[in-house]
Amino acid sequence: MLQERKFYLPKSTDPLEVTKRGLEILNDPRLNKGTAFTFEERKALGLSGLLPPFRANMEEQVQRIMENYRHHTNPLDKYIFLTAIADRNVTLFYRVLMDNLLEMTPIMYTPTVGHACQQFGHIYRKNRGMYLNLNQKGRIAQVLDNWPADEIDIIVISDGSRILGLGDLGANGMGIPIGKLVLYVAGAGLHPDRTLPILLDVGTDNDELLNDPLYLGITRRRIHGDEFYEIADEFVKAATARWPNVLIQWEDFTNDKAFPLLNRYRDDVLCFNDDIQGTGSVALAGLLAAMRMREEHLSDQRIVFCGAGSAAVGIADMICAGIADEHSMTVEEARKLVWMCDSKGLVTTTRKGKLDKHKIPYARDEKPAPELLDVVKRVKPTIIIGASGHPHTFTEEVVKQMHKHCKQPVIFALSNPTSKAECTAEEAYTWTGGNAIFASGSPFPAVRLEGRIFVPGQGNNMFIFPGVGLGAVVCGARKVTDEMFFTAAKTLAHMVTEEELEAGTIYPDLAKIRQISLAIAAAVARLAWEQGLAQYAEPKDIRQYVRDRMYHPDYRPYVAA
Ligand code: NAD
């Protein structure tokens, strides 16, 4: 049994011995407390005269920040403003974010982070995370040695090839690993000093960026095939050699790389892909809650997908694994409940040309159907899930056709951003006379219809990945399994209250994210211990053990070393 690494969280009252002095401290965002340094600390650490005389507490600092934050009306300006706080004072940044999580998540992550990525070379202020690029091939280990922290729990890495719904943004994609790790810290309490965002720059095929004089990536076209996997292998080897228990999260890779990368490493390396597994898990959680609402079982449903990319296949895989687990069916039998459509219509075995590998398990042995409406007429689905990135595909005709055969149709319009959703919440409720069970990828406001208020759920991956990541890290898991995501989905579905179900909502309130992440992390770690996948000794009280390892943004007292 491995010794748990010298972790973790000192209590907020434990003094920290500081070797730096004066401006060195104020210029280190991990140490800086700004005006909150006590007078004793100022004396002991050479800070006297370097700060205004008033000693603020953190609440007052937050108040000052919020006053300034609210002066900004443009979301991108808000993003730049918040990022600048992280550059000055990490603890305060997380306190501000956690105190205002619902308001600031759309700034630090989707949708604003998408604009930030598009503008990355133009708004760049300060280094954060690491850039690995093709020209460093053969010496990636040396480059990783430049990172100062010897303890890293989690790396989020992207090659910037498929950033949200925005396509190839090359090195500008760095905003995504940064943003995702911010959510890990705020949502689940991973320690900010032990997270590392990485951009693997293997070129870009985005001509606009290649011609932009302020673009910050390497200016060449992308590499593919063996050349790509050679550098990916080199990264994995170097990262796991330097940080043996690190969790690697693959993020926003195009499908041709996302599935192969996951399959290449998932059995030997602690890693997962949130676009595939996290999306699958959060969608399954929504469906399980919908089944609670309808008092039915998933094994009795007919499920049509609009879209057959990483999100759709990730969701379908998770659903089928879930059905197989609960209803003593094989996964192959469960797949018979799924009909998948892509841009060419129903995915069938008879389709001309080569089917993408990830679609093959879902190809149906039946007549082609080029239009979604034809599929809906034929299948009479009880659940329809949109993950096509193509807006307005759930037309009035499609939804009404579905409602003809299903009293409470489950309609998930998951494409992001809001403008890409397959239908709006209002359309889904209106076209079904308020009977739809609706969830979306991007948030929709509540809908008032015939005197009732419907609160649409948001299938936000943030419900799942922070908790799964935390759970895997705290027990020293050897790998992340689909079963862990399945457990996470069940845990999330159980956290939806009866009142929320009554209001038509199938996800809990995102404001409870810390409780949710704690519950998911404990469930994931428990599973890892049960299955012999955890390397650290099992504690008596897993929940308390996890709770004790969650970071909170509090200032510790400092003493001079
Ligand atoms: P992708 O590019 O891998 O897949 C898109 C799929 O949609 C492809 O199979 C394509 O053939 C198909 N498609 C395109 N136009 C279509 C049309 N008109 N009709 C039917 N199918 C069509 O993309 P992805 O990573 O799978 O993401 C798809 C969407 O899902 C994106 O908008 C993304 O934002 C969203 N998403 C949502 C969540 C969430 O809600 N939690 C998570 C991940 C992805």
Side-chain angles (χ1 to χ4, degrees):
M1 192 59 59
L2 263 191
Q3 190 79 35
E4 187 191 354
R5 281 166 301 157
K6 67 172 162 45
F7 226 64
Y8 242 50
L9 295 185
K11 291 193 189 64
S12 62
T13 46
D14 290 346
L16 176 72
E17 285 198 5
V18 179
T19 48
K20 291 183 178 176
R21 290 292 177 274
L23 283 181
E24 265 190 316
I25 297 177
L26 299 185
N27 291 335
D28 182 338
R30 292 168 316 138
L31 290 178
N32 187 20
K33 304 190 210 175
T35 51
F37 279 106
T38 63
F39 297 114
E40 294 75 46
E41 285 172 333
R42 294 179 193 207
K43 262 192 218 145
L45 300 170
L47 297 168
S48 301
L50 300 181
L51 292 162
F54 181 77
R55 196 239 154 178
N57 61 32
M58 209 192 251
E59 285 63 37
E60 287 156 345
Q61 291 182 312
V62 172
Q63 192 187 339
R64 183 173 297 108
I65 284 180
M66 290 313 291
E67 207 176 293
N68 286 287
Y69 178 78
R70 302 232 192 272
H71 288 153
H72 295 288
T73 47
N74 176 342
L76 191 56
D77 290 339
K78 291 184 178 185
Y79 175 89
I80 294 170
F81 175 82
L82 288 178
T83 304
I85 301 170
D87 290 339
R88 294 198 300 273
N89 180 338
V90 172
T91 317
L92 185 57
F93 167 77
Y94 280 107
R95 176 59 74 87
V96 168
L97 190 64
M98 284 177 61
D99 284 357
N100 301 278
L101 196 66
L102 293 190
E103 181 180 348
M104 290 180 178
T105 305
I107 301 295
M108 288 316 295
Y109 206 67
T110 167
T112 308
V113 73
H115 301 161
C117 287
Q118 286 171 313
Q119 297 295 318
F120 199 77
H122 295 257
I123 62 170
Y124 182 85
R125 301 287 198 275
K126 198 170 185 289
N127 59 299
R128 175 154 319 158
M130 294 199 84
Y131 294 83
L132 304 179
N133 76 68
L134 260 186
N135 305 326
Q136 295 157 340
K137 207 167 164 201
R139 42 189 197 93
I140 296 289
Q142 268 167 279
V143 176
L144 285 184
D145 274 345
N146 287 338
W147 190 255
D150 286 330
E151 295 285 346
I152 290 294
D153 294 328
I154 178 158
I155 289 173
V156 174
I157 182 166
S158 177
D159 70 347
S161 56
R162 199 236 54 179
I163 294 302
L164 307 169
L166 304 167
D168 180 353
L169 295 185
N172 284 10
M174 183 52 143
I176 296 297
I178 292 173
K180 209 103 197 205
L181 284 167
V182 163
L183 300 186
Y184 269 106
V185 175
L190 273 290
H191 196 294
D193 294 352
R194 301 167 69 116
T195 66
L196 174 56
I198 297 187
L199 193 287
L200 182 63
D201 188 349
V202 290
T204 178
D205 292 331
N206 183 329
D207 288 322
E208 213 178 299
L209 293 180
L210 290 173
N211 293 319
D212 180 349
L214 292 187
Y215 177 57
L216 292 167
I218 53 170
T219 45
R220 56 154 294 158
R221 297 221 165 260
R222 282 187 180 278
I223 53 162
H224 298 280
D226 289 348
E227 224 184 333
F228 174 84
Y229 292 105
E230 276 164 26
I231 193 161
D233 284 346
E234 193 184 335
F235 155 72
V236 170
K237 201 168 157 213
T240 51
R242 171 129 200 237
W243 300 293
N245 297 304
V246 72
L247 167 61
I248 298 173
Q249 192 200 300
W250 306 103
E251 182 71 23
D252 281 4
F253 286 82
T254 43
N255 279 333
D256 60 324
K257 310 244 167 48
F259 287 100
L261 278 173
L262 182 61
N263 293 333
R264 194 177 181 93
Y265 303 113
R266 62 185 303 164
D267 290 332
D268 307 316
V269 175
L270 183 68
C271 70
F272 72 89
N273 179 310
D274 178 55
D275 305 312
I276 300 172
Q277 295 159 288
T279 305
S281 181
V282 79
L284 175 60
L287 292 183
L288 291 173
M291 293 303 106
R292 271 179 66 196
M293 207 186 267
R294 285 207 322 215
E295 298 181 351
E296 289 177 13
H297 294 291
L298 268 182
S299 53
D300 299 326
Q301 310 302 313
R302 291 180 304 282
I303 309 167
V304 165
F305 280 86
C306 176
S310 32
V313 170
I315 296 168
D317 284 351
M318 199 62 65
I319 295 173
C320 293
I323 294 176
D325 181 83
E326 298 265 286
H327 301 280
S328 58
M329 269 186 188
T330 63
V331 169
E332 288 69 29
E333 282 165 338
R335 285 199 188 117
K336 297 213 166 81
L337 306 173
V338 171
W339 285 256
M340 210 164 262
C341 304
D342 61 12
S343 52
K344 297 181 189 142
L346 185 65
V347 176
T348 62
T349 49
T350 53
R351 186 185 282 181
K352 286 204 186 88
K354 212 173 134 208
L355 262 189
D356 289 331
K357 214 170 155 193
H358 59 273
K359 295 179 191 171
I360 293 173
Y362 293 97
R364 306 232 16 141
D365 198 8
E366 58 186 87
K367 275 194 311 202
E371 298 297 331
L372 182 63
L373 183 61
D374 302 329
V375 179
V376 170
K377 280 184 183 162
R378 185 189 298 172
V379 175
K380 302 181 181 62
T382 54
I383 296 172
I384 188 165
I385 299 176
S388 61
H390 201 84
H392 313 304
T393 37
F394 296 171
T395 59
E396 185 169 357
E397 222 182 338
V398 164
V399 172
K400 285 192 166 161
Q401 179 65 36
M402 186 179 173
H403 186 38
K404 262 190 201 168
H405 303 279
C406 176
K407 205 168 140 243
Q408 278 186 292
V410 176
I411 301 176
F412 282 10
L414 295 182
S415 289
N416 296 313
T418 314
S419 59
K420 296 267 168 92
E422 283 76 7
C423 69
T424 65
E426 188 164 3
E427 287 168 341
Y429 293 124
T430 309
W431 295 337
T432 57
N435 284 300
I437 302 174
F438 178 85
S440 55
S442 301
F444 277 101
V447 175
R448 183 183 285 274
L449 187 75
E450 292 164 13
R452 278 184 72 191
I453 293 180
F454 297 90
V455 185
Q458 189 196 350
N460 189 334
N461 290 29
M462 191 183 167
F463 282 124
I464 297 288
F465 69 80
V468 171
L470 178 68
V473 163
V474 294
C475 69
R478 278 196 200 86
K479 57 181 176 176
V480 180
T481 60
D482 276 345
E483 235 180 316
M484 291 178 182
F485 281 96
F486 179 48
T487 295
K490 284 201 282 193
T491 306
L492 181 61
H494 278 116
M495 293 190 81
V496 186
T497 62
E498 290 301 326
E499 294 71 39
E500 283 163 333
L501 289 179
E502 196 59 36
T505 314
I506 47 175
Y507 290 102
D509 186 352
L510 195 60
K512 292 191 223 155
I513 185 67
R514 281 266 169 149
Q515 283 154 266
I516 294 167
S517 296
L518 169 60
I520 290 178
V524 165
R526 182 169 293 113
L527 185 71
W529 268 303
E530 274 166 20
Q531 299 193 330
L533 290 174
Q535 299 180 80
Y536 306 149
E538 184 175 348
K540 276 206 184 74
D541 184 343
I542 293 179
R543 203 179 159 87
Q544 189 58 41
Y545 171 90
V546 176
R547 188 185 285 118
D548 289 346
R549 283 153 184 75
M550 289 170 80
Y551 163 84
H552 290 272
D554 297 314
Y555 292 135
R556 291 170 61 190
Y558 290 176
V559 290

